[in-house]
Structure formats: C-alpha cells, structure tokens
Amino acid sequence: MANVKLTGIRKAYGAVKVLHGIDLDIQAGEFVVFVGPSGCGKSTLLRVIAGLEDITGGTLEIGGKVVNALTPKQRGIAMVFQSYALYPHMSVYDNMAFGLTLEKGTAKSDIDKRVREAARILQIEPYLDRLPKALSGGQRQRVAIGRAITRDPQVFLFDEPLSNLDAALRVQTRIEIARLHERMEGTTMVYVTHDQVEAMTLADRIVVLNKGHVEQVGSPMELYKEPDNLFVAKFLGSPSMNILPARIELTGESTVVLPEGGRQVTLPVATPGAMNGAAAHLGIRPEDLAVTSSENAPFRGEVTLTESLGEVTLLYVDIGRTDESFVAKLPGEASIARGTVVSLEAKPETMRLFDEAGDAIRPGQRRAAA
Ligand SMILES: Nc1ncnc2c1ncn2[C@@H]1O[C@H](COP(=O)(O)OP(=O)(O)OP(=O)(O)O)[C@@H](O)[C@H]1O
Ligand SMILES: [Mg+2]
C-alpha cells in the first residue's frame, strides 16, 4: 500500500518548460487516470513519477517517503508502455521471469511462484511456453503487464497500454486491467490514456491536464456533470458539449440567459445582480437535447446531417450560428431526414453556465461581482 504525493512538481528540458507545478495526492490503492490533449505532459508526468526523468522542482513522495533522488528500482514502481517490447527469442515464461532472474538473491522457486501467479491473474497460463510471435497483440500486452506484476510493485504506471490494440481487444484488455486492479487490492495505479471510455470506466479519479498544469481532478461523474471550466467541459464527452456564446439577461436566484442561436432559457443558477448583461457561455451536452413539438423550445433549426450509430443517432442542426454546429444525440434510430426543421429542448438543470473567462457558474453558487 503506497500513496503517491506530488507537491509543486515542475519539469523543464533546458528552456522548455513542460510541467508547471503539479499538486496531486494519489491515495494508496487508488486508480487514477491522466487525460489531456497530445503534448500536455501526461507521459512526462508519469516518467517523472517512475524516476525515468529528473525532477526540475517540487517534491515527490511515495509511501510517505521523499523519492526525488531515488532510482526507478528503489521506488518500487513498475511501468507498462504502449509498445510492449518483449524479448522475441524468449518464451512467455522467460520474458516474465527475466527481471527477477537479474535480481540477486531471489530463489528460483520464488520466481516460479510469482510468474505462475501473474499468469493466472492475466489468464495467460496456456501460453507460458510460447514465443511472443505466436501470441495475439492483446496476449502480448498481457505478458508485458505480467512482467510488471512479477516485480510486485507498490505502484503501477501505465502509459497508453492499449493504444496498439484493435477495438475488440482494447475492450477485452481494459476489462482485464480493471479486474487486475480488483485482484491486486491495495496496489496504486496511474494510467495515461487518450481514450475517454477507458478513462471513464477505469478511473476512481480522473486528472485533466492541459499545457502542463492540472485543470480539474475528480471522479469521472463529477468531471462529466460538474466541469470546473470550459476546457474540461469540452474535453470529456463525445460528441463534445455544445457551447453557445450567451448573454446573462436577468439574475437572481435563477438566471435568465440568452444564447446565440436560441431563445432565452432560465437556469437554476444564482448569480449576483452585477452580472446582468455580462457575457457568458451556455453548455449543453448533445445527449441532454430532445426533439419537441413545443412552441417555446429554445432551439430550432434545419437538420444538416444525421449519423446513425446504431444505439444512438446524431443530429447536426443549423440553429443560425456561423462557426460551429449544434449536435443532438438521440436514443435509438431517429427517423428524421436531412432538411427537416426541428425544435430542441433540454432540462434547465442539465445545462451548464460559464462566465466569460470560461469558469463554471454553479447552481447555488454565489460568485463575486466582476
Ligand atoms: N526530451 C525532451 N526534450 C524537450 N521537450 C520534450 C522532451 N520530451 C517531451 N518534451 C515535450 O514535452 C511536452 C509534453 O510531452 P509528453 O510526451 O509528456 O506529452 P503527452 O501528454 O504524453 O502527449 P501524447 O498524448 O502525444 O503522448 C511536449 O511538448 C514535448 O514536445
Ligand atoms: Mg504520451
């Protein structure tokens, strides 16, 4: 059981500053997922934790001990990368045992026990005698994970371990990793991914990174339902949340908002009177929109494109904005042809309001007047 605590972690390569002071407290046994756009510093942060990169500034603690100066080995960490890099001339068994045979003083029987236990956990026992080339991509990645398990780490680090796998194998191996976390109770896992479904399903908490700093940390549902800012709101969810420039018209215990391309909506959000007339952003998730016959629906426009994905249909609607499309995600197969004019509504409590700077204005939250 080991927690991982980052305090003011900075990383620069010469003049290039990559991480700008990351504070993060990862609990022992927690599954934490880093997400963020390409180049935001996810891999760098993972490599800093692993000890593969020097720390420019700040303190890294593992299990209550400052480890800034310790080697990767001394940190009790195992890392699994995107490319699994197995030794091609060694059997699965030998690949998994290799790291342990290098350690002096580990008995052969002990190595055997650890390899077989890892193989059992990952369900690769039938393949122990095979060479990697006789395995599928998913099986190979499980061997790579097995190699990490045999080292009995306190903390597991994964950098996009599934991104080389095809869709079906990715799902299967993702479930395998979730089970692995359950079976290895108390093992802390830190996982980097581009894949939203992986992030939402695996994480106890998600850390959204942007340009080397943390935008928000929270449970998947917290981030999805209550994003702190426009960046997080747009980053999670597919298709992205619709964001409409808007103007606050009237304030009080509820807020009347006039979005570009729509009629006024009244949100259960308290804003101070001084915000009357202020610029804002209204956010509406595609799945919160529904087609209605109501005369007073806030949004109305022509369907410019439909995409049927089987379980849902996406409607792209021209509500009279020039730059971005407005998307509704409807359940099932919606038989609405291109060119049809539709009215759309959403429950006020599902809509999100952000101030001009992009920070969330929350229900019941009173913000200082600008
Ligand atoms: N050795 C290095 N020297 C200089 N800059 C580097 C070095 N390694 C990484 N960087 C820069 O640091 C930034 C963060 O890189 P990093 O690999 O952590 O991004 P990432 O979030 O993992 O991206 P991706 O999603 O594409 O894997 C990038 O701008 C990258 O160019
Ligand atoms: Mg990366």
Side-chain angles (χ1 to χ4, degrees):
M1 298 280 275
N3 68 323
V4 179
K5 188 168 181 200
L6 291 74
T7 312
I9 291 289
R10 288 182 292 113
K11 175 67 192 173
Y13 296 100
V16 185
K17 292 183 177 143
V18 177
L19 302 174
H20 310 284
I22 307 268
D23 296 317
L24 198 59
D25 209 345
I26 301 172
Q27 305 300 310
E30 198 175 19
F31 200 125
V32 165
V33 175
F34 294 167
V35 298
S38 185
C40 70
K42 304 180 293 294
S43 296
T44 304
L45 188 53
L46 212 59
R47 293 170 61 81
V48 158
I49 296 172
L52 300 170
E53 301 282 353
D54 294 337
I55 299 173
T56 308
T59 310
L60 175 67
E61 290 163 70
I62 297 176
K65 207 168 87 184
V66 176
V67 299
N68 285 45
L70 297 190
T71 64
K73 212 165 175 192
Q74 292 167 326
R75 294 185 189 192
I77 268 176
M79 187 149 166
V80 178
F81 298 90
Q82 177 176 357
S83 55
Y84 16 81
L86 301 175
Y87 299 106
H89 58 285
M90 284 187 195
S91 70
V92 166
Y93 184 99
D94 289 338
N95 262 287
M96 285 166 66
F98 187 67
L100 296 175
T101 55
L102 291 182
E103 278 173 28
K104 288 197 173 64
T106 311
K108 217 165 174 189
S109 62
D110 189 32
I111 293 174
D112 187 66
K113 207 173 119 204
R114 287 209 236 164
V115 169
R116 290 190 188 281
E117 172 64 8
R120 188 188 61 76
I121 288 173
L122 293 163
Q123 297 167 338
I124 48 177
E125 288 160 301
Y127 317 123
L128 283 173
D129 296 330
R130 288 199 198 170
L131 291 177
K133 69 177 180 206
L135 298 177
S136 74
Q139 290 161 348
R140 279 180 223 173
Q141 188 58 298
R142 276 188 266 163
V143 175
I145 296 169
R147 196 167 49 181
I149 292 176
T150 56
R151 298 182 44 203
D152 195 20
Q154 303 201 69
V155 181
F156 256 107
L157 306 176
F158 294 93
D159 195 355
E160 309 207 37
L162 309 184
S163 56
N164 279 341
L165 307 180
D166 70 30
L169 263 179
R170 222 164 37 223
V171 172
Q172 202 184 322
T173 316
R174 182 184 86 215
I175 294 168
E176 216 51 67
I177 289 176
R179 288 210 186 107
L180 178 69
H181 183 240
E182 257 169 46
R183 286 190 207 122
M184 302 185 66
E185 215 176 313
T187 306
T188 311
M189 296 196 172
V190 187
Y191 190 102
V192 169
T193 183
H194 268 113
D195 185 308
Q196 297 218 1
V197 180
E198 280 175 33
M200 294 297 285
T201 55
L202 289 173
D204 293 319
R205 284 192 302 160
I206 294 177
V207 178
V208 181
L209 292 167
N210 180 25
K211 295 181 184 154
H213 69 261
V214 174
E215 289 282 352
Q216 191 175 357
V217 183
S219 74
M221 275 307 147
E222 271 163 20
L223 265 55
Y224 196 76
K225 299 272 185 202
E226 299 292 346
D228 272 350
N229 54 50
L230 277 180
F231 182 87
V232 176
K234 283 201 270 198
F235 192 79
L236 294 177
S238 173
S240 277
M241 186 185 270
N242 295 295
I243 306 289
L244 303 175
R247 190 155 292 283
I248 293 175
E249 294 276 294
L250 280 172
T251 58
E253 288 315 305
S254 52
T255 304
V256 179
V257 178
L258 186 67
E260 184 188 310
R263 292 201 214 170
Q264 67 168 50
V265 293
T266 303
L267 304 183
V269 175
T271 50
M275 286 190 87
N276 193 11
H281 304 269
L282 183 66
I284 309 162
R285 293 229 178 256
E287 63 269 32
D288 291 330
L289 284 163
V291 174
T292 172
S293 55
S294 159
E295 296 274 300
N296 302 320
F299 307 105
R300 188 172 168 79
E302 187 181 315
V303 175
T304 56
L305 178 72
T306 68
E307 288 180 330
S308 297
L309 304 178
E311 83 277 24
V312 293
T313 302
L314 303 181
L315 286 191
Y316 294 81
V317 181
D318 178 6
I319 60 169
R321 299 183 57 214
T322 45
D323 49 348
E324 281 172 76
S325 61
F326 191 69
V327 190
K329 191 194 246 183
L330 307 177
E333 191 185 343
S335 50
I336 298 173
R338 209 170 68 180
T340 310
V341 173
V342 294
S343 294
L344 296 163
E345 62 183 2
K347 293 198 175 85
E349 64 270 22
T350 64
M351 298 192 213
R352 291 287 163 265
L353 191 61
F354 303 89
D355 65 16
E356 194 173 17
D359 290 324
I361 303 173
R362 294 250 166 82
Q365 173 189 344
R366 284 215 167 264
R367 289 179 61 85

Short mmCIF file of all heavy atoms in Angstrom, two decimals, residues 6 54 56 63 80 93 96 105-106 114 158 170 185 189 227 238 240 323 349 357:
data_model
loop_
_atom_site.label_atom_id
_atom_site.label_comp_id
_atom_site.label_asym_id
_atom_site.label_seq_id
_atom_site.Cartn_x
_atom_site.Cartn_y
_atom_site.Cartn_z
N LEU A 6 2.43 14.42 -5.03
CA LEU A 6 3.20 15.37 -5.81
C LEU A 6 2.95 16.77 -5.26
O LEU A 6 1.80 17.16 -5.09
CB LEU A 6 2.77 15.36 -7.29
CG LEU A 6 3.11 14.12 -8.13
CD1 LEU A 6 2.21 12.95 -7.76
CD2 LEU A 6 2.94 14.42 -9.61
N ASP A 54 14.56 13.31 -14.46
CA ASP A 54 14.89 14.13 -13.28
C ASP A 54 13.75 15.10 -13.01
O ASP A 54 13.09 15.55 -13.93
CB ASP A 54 16.14 14.99 -13.55
CG ASP A 54 17.37 14.14 -13.72
OD1 ASP A 54 17.35 13.00 -13.22
OD2 ASP A 54 18.32 14.61 -14.37
N THR A 56 12.69 18.77 -12.01
CA THR A 56 13.28 20.11 -12.02
C THR A 56 12.99 20.85 -10.71
O THR A 56 13.81 21.59 -10.20
CB THR A 56 12.75 20.92 -13.22
OG1 THR A 56 12.94 20.15 -14.40
CG2 THR A 56 13.45 22.27 -13.36
N GLY A 63 4.63 6.42 -0.66
CA GLY A 63 4.52 5.76 0.65
C GLY A 63 5.07 6.62 1.77
O GLY A 63 5.68 6.12 2.71
N VAL A 80 4.27 0.04 -17.54
CA VAL A 80 3.91 -0.67 -18.77
C VAL A 80 3.70 0.39 -19.85
O VAL A 80 2.95 1.34 -19.66
CB VAL A 80 2.61 -1.49 -18.59
CG1 VAL A 80 2.23 -2.19 -19.89
CG2 VAL A 80 2.78 -2.52 -17.46
N TYR A 93 7.19 -17.38 -20.48
CA TYR A 93 7.65 -17.61 -19.10
C TYR A 93 8.95 -16.84 -18.83
O TYR A 93 9.06 -16.11 -17.85
CB TYR A 93 7.86 -19.11 -18.88
CG TYR A 93 8.25 -19.46 -17.46
CD1 TYR A 93 7.30 -19.92 -16.55
CD2 TYR A 93 9.57 -19.31 -17.01
CE1 TYR A 93 7.65 -20.22 -15.25
CE2 TYR A 93 9.93 -19.60 -15.71
CZ TYR A 93 8.96 -20.06 -14.83
OH TYR A 93 9.31 -20.34 -13.53
N MET A 96 8.63 -13.12 -18.59
CA MET A 96 8.08 -12.66 -17.32
C MET A 96 9.06 -12.85 -16.16
O MET A 96 9.05 -12.08 -15.20
CB MET A 96 6.75 -13.37 -17.03
CG MET A 96 5.63 -12.82 -17.90
SD MET A 96 4.15 -13.83 -17.92
CE MET A 96 3.59 -13.72 -16.27
N GLY A 105 19.64 -13.01 -5.31
CA GLY A 105 19.02 -13.46 -4.07
C GLY A 105 17.57 -13.85 -4.17
O GLY A 105 16.94 -14.13 -3.15
N THR A 106 16.98 -13.82 -5.38
CA THR A 106 15.60 -14.31 -5.49
C THR A 106 15.66 -15.79 -5.88
O THR A 106 16.23 -16.15 -6.91
CB THR A 106 14.82 -13.52 -6.56
OG1 THR A 106 15.01 -12.14 -6.34
CG2 THR A 106 13.34 -13.86 -6.51
N ARG A 114 5.95 -16.57 -8.56
CA ARG A 114 5.47 -15.24 -8.96
C ARG A 114 5.04 -15.22 -10.43
O ARG A 114 4.03 -14.60 -10.77
CB ARG A 114 6.57 -14.20 -8.73
CG ARG A 114 6.74 -13.90 -7.25
CD ARG A 114 7.22 -12.49 -7.07
NE ARG A 114 8.46 -12.44 -6.32
CZ ARG A 114 9.27 -11.38 -6.26
NH1 ARG A 114 8.96 -10.30 -6.93
NH2 ARG A 114 10.36 -11.39 -5.54
N PHE A 158 0.95 3.03 -16.11
CA PHE A 158 0.61 2.58 -17.46
C PHE A 158 0.59 3.79 -18.40
O PHE A 158 -0.12 4.75 -18.14
CB PHE A 158 -0.80 1.98 -17.51
CG PHE A 158 -0.99 0.72 -16.73
CD1 PHE A 158 -1.45 0.75 -15.43
CD2 PHE A 158 -0.77 -0.52 -17.32
CE1 PHE A 158 -1.67 -0.42 -14.72
CE2 PHE A 158 -0.98 -1.70 -16.63
CZ PHE A 158 -1.43 -1.65 -15.32
N ARG A 170 -9.00 -4.09 -27.27
CA ARG A 170 -8.86 -2.99 -26.33
C ARG A 170 -9.91 -3.11 -25.23
O ARG A 170 -9.60 -2.95 -24.05
CB ARG A 170 -9.03 -1.66 -27.07
CG ARG A 170 -8.04 -0.67 -26.62
CD ARG A 170 -7.82 0.53 -27.46
NE ARG A 170 -8.98 1.08 -28.09
CZ ARG A 170 -8.99 1.49 -29.33
NH1 ARG A 170 -7.89 1.40 -30.07
NH2 ARG A 170 -10.06 2.00 -29.86
N GLU A 185 -5.58 -5.86 -4.74
CA GLU A 185 -6.14 -4.89 -3.81
C GLU A 185 -5.02 -4.10 -3.14
O GLU A 185 -4.05 -4.68 -2.68
CB GLU A 185 -6.93 -5.63 -2.74
CG GLU A 185 -8.15 -4.90 -2.27
CD GLU A 185 -8.91 -5.77 -1.30
OE1 GLU A 185 -9.13 -6.96 -1.59
OE2 GLU A 185 -9.28 -5.23 -0.26
N MET A 189 -2.60 2.52 -8.95
CA MET A 189 -2.39 2.51 -10.40
C MET A 189 -2.55 3.92 -10.97
O MET A 189 -3.52 4.60 -10.65
CB MET A 189 -3.36 1.55 -11.08
CG MET A 189 -3.12 0.10 -10.65
SD MET A 189 -3.92 -1.07 -11.75
CE MET A 189 -3.24 -2.61 -11.11
N PRO A 227 -18.18 20.10 -14.66
CA PRO A 227 -16.84 20.57 -15.06
C PRO A 227 -16.57 21.96 -14.49
O PRO A 227 -17.46 22.80 -14.46
CB PRO A 227 -16.92 20.59 -16.59
CG PRO A 227 -18.38 20.63 -16.93
CD PRO A 227 -19.09 19.93 -15.80
N SER A 238 -18.42 12.75 -25.91
CA SER A 238 -18.32 12.63 -27.36
C SER A 238 -19.72 12.39 -27.94
O SER A 238 -20.39 11.45 -27.54
CB SER A 238 -17.40 11.46 -27.70
OG SER A 238 -17.40 11.23 -29.07
N SER A 240 -18.58 16.47 -28.31
CA SER A 240 -18.34 17.45 -27.24
C SER A 240 -19.61 18.20 -26.86
O SER A 240 -20.54 18.30 -27.63
CB SER A 240 -17.34 18.50 -27.73
OG SER A 240 -16.05 18.05 -27.57
N ASP A 323 -20.23 29.69 -36.91
CA ASP A 323 -18.98 28.94 -36.76
C ASP A 323 -19.15 27.45 -36.47
O ASP A 323 -18.66 26.61 -37.21
CB ASP A 323 -18.09 29.60 -35.72
CG ASP A 323 -18.84 29.92 -34.43
OD1 ASP A 323 -20.08 29.82 -34.44
OD2 ASP A 323 -18.20 30.25 -33.43
N GLU A 349 -31.79 22.11 -15.66
CA GLU A 349 -30.75 21.68 -14.69
C GLU A 349 -29.61 20.92 -15.36
O GLU A 349 -28.56 20.71 -14.75
CB GLU A 349 -31.38 20.86 -13.55
CG GLU A 349 -32.03 19.55 -13.96
CD GLU A 349 -33.51 19.69 -14.33
OE1 GLU A 349 -33.94 20.83 -14.68
OE2 GLU A 349 -34.22 18.67 -14.27
N ALA A 357 -14.64 34.21 -18.81
CA ALA A 357 -13.30 33.62 -18.75
C ALA A 357 -13.34 32.10 -18.91
O ALA A 357 -12.30 31.47 -19.06
CB ALA A 357 -12.64 34.00 -17.44
#
